[in-house]
Amino acid sequence: MSRDYVDELRWGWQCPRCDADATVTKDPRTETFLWACPEESCPAVGFGFTSRRKARIALREYRERYNDIYR
């Protein structure tokens, strides 16, 4: 995993599909972190991350890949 994003971790990442502010939360059942888009019509979600930081980096990388596909 690249360390380029370490200084850029902020609250409020955006969903790659609909640009809504995605939230990162801890799943109490599995003790892992997940991010999910709050929009009911958007199915974007990522789960199983060992830390909040890794979940945010994965969300950002997904957003970059998603935007590269649909340019």
Side-chain angles (χ1 to χ4, degrees):
M1 191 174 303
S2 174
R3 304 232 357 125
D4 296 338
Y5 302 132
V6 172
D7 294 332
E8 297 180 18
L9 292 180
R10 298 180 207 102
W11 296 101
W13 292 100
Q14 290 183 321
C15 173
R17 291 175 165 249
C18 67
D19 292 328
D21 285 337
T23 58
V24 175
T25 57
K26 188 171 187 176
D27 184 354
R29 293 181 302 128
T30 62
E31 296 295 316
T32 60
F33 291 86
L34 62 97
W35 63 265
C37 181
E39 298 295 322
E40 289 183 24
S41 61
C42 183
V45 66
F47 54 90
F49 302 102
T50 56
S51 71
R52 185 178 304 275
R53 178 182 174 273
K54 288 182 180 181
R56 290 186 188 284
I57 290 171
L59 175 57
R60 181 176 182 152
E61 289 174 350
Y62 177 43
R63 182 173 176 81
E64 289 172 356
R65 284 193 314 268
Y66 188 82
N67 286 334
D68 286 343
I69 290 171
Y70 294 102
R71 282 190 184 184

